Amino acid sequence: MIYRQVFDVINIGLVILDEELRVCYWNRWMTMHSGIESKDIIGSPLLGFFPDIDTKYFNRSVRSVFKFGSFVFMSQKLHKYLFKFEKKVSGFQHMQQSVTIGPIKDKDNTVEHLFIIIQDVTEMAAYERKLHDLNIKDGLTGAYNRRYLETRLKDEFDRHKRYCHALSIIMFDIDHFKAINDTYGHQCGDFVLKEVSTTALDTLRVNDTLARYGGEEFCCILPETTISSAMMVAERLRKNVESQENRFANTSAKVTISLGVSELCEITDTHEKLLKKADDALYKAKREGRNRVVSMSLI
Amino acid sequence: MEVNDDSTFSELEIDTLQEIMNIAFGQASADLAEVINVFIVLSVPSLKLKKAVSLSEFIGLEIGDLKNFKIVEQSYWGKSKGVALLAFPHEAELELIAMFREDTDMGFDSEMSDELDNEMLIEIGNILIGACVSKMAELLKDVVTFVPPRVISGEQLSEAFVENRFERESRVILLKTLFQIEGRELSGHLFLVNSLDSIHTLKDALRAFWKQYE
């Protein structure tokens, strides 16, 4: 087949399978990335070489191509990749792929073969991820930014309200932060912000969200959490921050935090009210002498 | 079969087309049950000839509460060009996603959840639209190529949507069916809009279909 000359130089992967999923064609791009020579794989079942591919999703996709003669578009966002090829690019361990599976019809319009086209989209996915992070994260602390917090809080609030699940938030603020900046300089202030943020991230669960709300103020969203559990998390957070050294250029800039906690209930029937209650509790903690946790039930 | 006017369809041709759709959708739902283990009930399709310019408004009225709908939109090319719109209300969207997610071996990143939900809808839409359009094409002895679908919100279904695809004043065939997932409170609309660019080819295909029964 003279067209193979083209198929072997294009910068995409091309595989052709028969109904038993045996490989009928394997282009050079596939050899380059898999290390498997065309002569070694042709005639063999694909899944024997790539057992990872044998998923419910892949089998469903293949069935639908043979059954309907329709196409399957596997997006990188959802599936990351089909063939597990190593490629380390900014945070990705494997080549990110955009994959199309489609029918090859014979003269009678019956589908006895299918093709798989694999595009390497790792660089694009890395840029996209970088852009996405820039858009939602605070550059200094690595916590989320306020814009993301507001969107996320609204979504979580709506979801938890709909399913009548518990949802709490913690607002906290570094005590006397201005004094840190004035005494040790802004670089040290930035360092303290980063350290507090790291401690908070280490203290919270994976599903919790930490965002820098402004200046030295942070907010945590705790899904599926009642206020009594959130108070315990807040207390742990307070203790952890209090005990950290924050060593910066031979000085120890120890800090404490004040925290306010609120939960979704009848009086916090909007996400704005939930935030306001936590903020009010935080200010009560400040007024009462700082370095403490206050629940919305006390205001 | 009597054909007088080459620029439009006779009643018999419309009936035939409707019958083909009916068979196609019946086969599609049977095959879908086999492929995705879900039985999808497709209602008897209705067929209308419309001016492209009036499409968005018509579809909007058929759906009703557009604001509460998401639409998976997918273009395809065969002997004529067409676009499929699969519209479902927000509640159905969440249930559909949950249903298919069980079947997809992957974790979900909450940061991107909206985007991933859309990607899920695209995949679901691709299967349903692919099944219906391919079956229809098979009966009309046509070969169809699809472009990847995308998701739009109901509100984005504006006139611009039509203008990008069809001449404003041209006539199109609009097919409409309701789909429902058996055993679940889950339903939506499927619209297939086909241009009449190659009305002759379609008429030939209808004639060929008719001949099988003569």
Side-chain angles (χ1 to χ4, degrees):
Chain A
M1 188 174 61
I2 57 164
Y3 301 129
R4 282 192 186 169
Q5 295 171 55
V6 180
F7 298 158
D8 278 338
V9 294
I10 50 175
N11 192 23
I12 53 174
L14 180 60
V15 179
I16 296 174
L17 304 179
D18 65 14
E19 277 180 298
E20 265 80 53
L21 305 187
R22 280 187 302 249
V23 179
C24 302
Y25 182 68
W26 188 258
N27 79 343
R28 203 169 290 161
W29 188 96
M30 291 303 290
T31 300
M32 266 169 57
H33 293 283
S34 67
I36 301 167
E37 291 284 344
S38 162
K39 63 176 171 38
D40 296 330
I41 196 167
I42 284 182
S44 304
L46 177 74
L47 302 182
F49 280 82
F50 295 92
D52 289 354
I53 294 180
D54 191 7
T55 59
K56 265 189 191 172
Y57 173 79
F58 180 72
N59 287 306
R60 185 177 77 199
S61 302
V62 164
R63 278 203 306 275
S64 79
V65 173
F66 281 121
K67 199 91 200 169
F68 305 119
S70 58
F71 290 68
V72 172
F73 304 99
M74 283 181 74
S75 81
Q76 176 274 331
K77 284 197 186 78
L78 209 51
H79 300 277
K80 315 290 183 213
Y81 50 80
L82 178 64
F83 290 92
K84 199 170 187 173
F85 295 154
E86 212 167 281
K87 181 168 184 176
K88 293 190 170 63
V89 175
S90 28
F92 290 117
Q93 297 298 311
H94 298 102
M95 179 199 284
Q96 302 295 296
Q97 300 164 351
S98 171
V99 176
T100 306
I101 309 177
I104 302 178
K105 293 184 175 173
D106 61 16
K107 279 178 192 146
D108 311 322
N109 241 351
T110 50
V111 185
E112 285 176 2
H113 295 88
L114 59 75
F115 65 81
I116 307 178
I117 290 174
I118 304 105
Q119 278 177 283
D120 176 1
V121 293
T122 319
E123 277 78 13
M124 208 169 71
Y127 283 131
E128 214 175 331
R129 184 186 269 188
K130 223 176 265 175
L131 266 178
H132 183 72
D133 281 356
L134 281 173
N135 199 31
I136 63 171
K137 288 206 168 148
D138 171 51
L140 177 67
T141 60
Y144 289 107
N145 61 23
R146 182 166 175 168
R147 185 177 50 234
Y148 177 75
L149 172 89
E150 281 166 1
T151 325
R152 185 70 192 275
L153 181 61
K154 188 178 175 306
D155 289 350
E156 291 289 352
F157 187 89
D158 291 345
R159 191 171 309 147
H160 285 73
K161 202 171 175 197
R162 195 180 316 133
Y163 297 114
C164 299
H165 287 187
L167 172 73
S168 294
I169 64 170
I170 302 172
M171 288 281 273
F172 70 88
D173 184 286
I174 303 174
D175 298 327
H176 302 298
F177 184 70
K178 191 174 176 301
I180 299 277
N181 275 334
D182 292 347
T183 316
Y184 305 110
H186 285 275
Q187 273 186 325
C188 180
D190 285 352
F191 176 75
V192 169
L193 279 170
K194 272 193 262 186
E195 289 292 288
V196 170
S197 172
T198 308
T199 304
L201 284 169
D202 291 344
T203 310
L204 297 169
R205 299 164 306 182
V206 184
N207 291 335
D208 300 335
T209 301
L210 174 75
R212 186 173 172 196
Y213 195 66
E216 66 273 24
E217 201 171 350
F218 292 82
C219 179
C220 323
I221 307 175
L222 312 177
E224 313 292 329
T225 310
T226 59
I227 194 158
S228 55
S229 304
M231 287 294 287
M232 283 194 273
V233 175
E235 183 54 27
R236 204 177 317 135
L237 191 54
R238 187 194 67 74
K239 280 186 182 153
N240 289 350
V241 171
E242 188 181 29
S243 63
Q244 74 187 40
E245 283 294 331
N246 304 329
R247 295 206 68 81
F248 182 80
N250 297 328
T251 51
S252 171
K254 287 190 89 161
V255 287
T256 57
I257 53 173
S258 301
L259 309 91
V261 185
S262 68
E263 92 173 315
L264 193 168
C265 62
E266 272 173 22
I267 53 165
T268 53
D269 57 354
T270 64
H271 68 281
E272 290 96 345
K273 282 186 195 164
L274 183 67
L275 208 54
K276 173 81 170 57
K277 283 285 175 195
D279 209 29
D280 291 348
L282 163 63
Y283 278 92
K284 187 173 168 64
K286 289 267 181 204
R287 277 198 310 275
E288 288 182 352
R290 298 182 168 88
N291 191 21
R292 68 195 59 215
V293 181
V294 170
S295 155
M296 67 181 256
S297 58
L298 297 175
I299 47 172
Chain B
M1 183 174 170
E2 194 187 335
V3 183
N4 297 322
D5 184 355
D6 269 359
S7 65
T8 188
F9 286 111
S10 68
E11 220 169 280
L12 187 56
E13 283 169 323
I14 289 186
D15 283 351
T16 312
L17 202 48
Q18 192 145 345
E19 182 55 22
I20 290 176
M21 300 309 149
N22 208 9
I23 300 170
F25 287 5
Q27 288 179 357
S29 65
D31 287 349
L32 275 168
E34 204 180 299
V35 171
I36 56 175
N37 299 323
V38 172
F39 196 77
I40 296 176
V41 186
L42 294 159
S43 71
V44 177
S46 70
L47 190 149
K48 285 190 166 60
L49 289 175
K50 290 261 160 209
K51 262 197 178 173
V53 68
S54 68
L55 266 181
S56 304
E57 194 188 347
F58 180 81
I59 294 174
L61 287 171
E62 288 284 311
I63 294 176
D65 183 16
L66 261 184
K67 258 190 236 157
N68 191 32
F69 272 73
K70 266 211 180 149
I71 300 173
V72 179
E73 176 243 324
Q74 184 168 28
S75 298
Y76 52 89
W77 278 272
K79 284 171 186 151
S80 67
K81 64 175 178 182
V83 59
L85 300 167
L86 188 72
F88 28 78
H90 188 63
E91 311 83 64
E93 172 200 335
L94 296 175
E95 207 178 327
L96 258 181
I97 290 172
M99 227 172 87
F100 277 77
R101 194 177 286 180
E102 290 164 12
D103 213 16
T104 309
D105 326 87
M106 71 191 68
F108 272 78
D109 182 355
S110 54
E111 255 178 29
M112 312 264 282
S113 66
D114 280 356
E115 213 173 329
L116 293 181
D117 279 356
N118 279 349
E119 294 288 335
M120 258 335 261
L121 286 185
I122 285 176
E123 290 202 341
I124 298 165
N126 186 53
I127 297 175
L128 298 188
I129 293 170
C132 293
V133 175
S134 303
K135 280 287 160 197
M136 196 172 86
E138 197 182 306
L139 290 173
L140 291 170
K141 309 267 184 268
D142 196 358
V143 176
V144 196
T145 313
F146 297 87
V147 294
R150 61 182 191 129
V151 173
I152 57 172
S153 67
E155 286 152 317
Q156 282 171 286
L157 188 76
S158 63
E159 266 186 39
F161 157 81
V162 175
E163 281 171 6
N164 291 338
R165 289 168 183 78
F166 305 103
E167 294 286 327
R168 281 174 66 85
E169 294 301 318
S170 69
R171 282 171 317 123
V172 293
I173 314 174
L174 174 76
L175 279 149
K176 189 199 118 183
T177 182
L178 289 172
F179 73 89
Q180 198 185 358
I181 302 210
E182 202 175 62
R184 302 206 187 213
E185 291 278 310
L186 219 167
S187 59
H189 306 259
L190 173 66
F191 299 93
L192 301 179
V193 188
N194 266 69
S195 76
L196 283 177
D197 294 345
S198 51
I199 190 164
H200 298 293
T201 337
L202 190 54
K203 278 173 178 273
D204 288 345
L206 289 177
R207 236 175 265 131
F209 181 81
W210 205 241
K211 271 205 176 118
Q212 298 175 65
Y213 300 95
E214 276 177 359

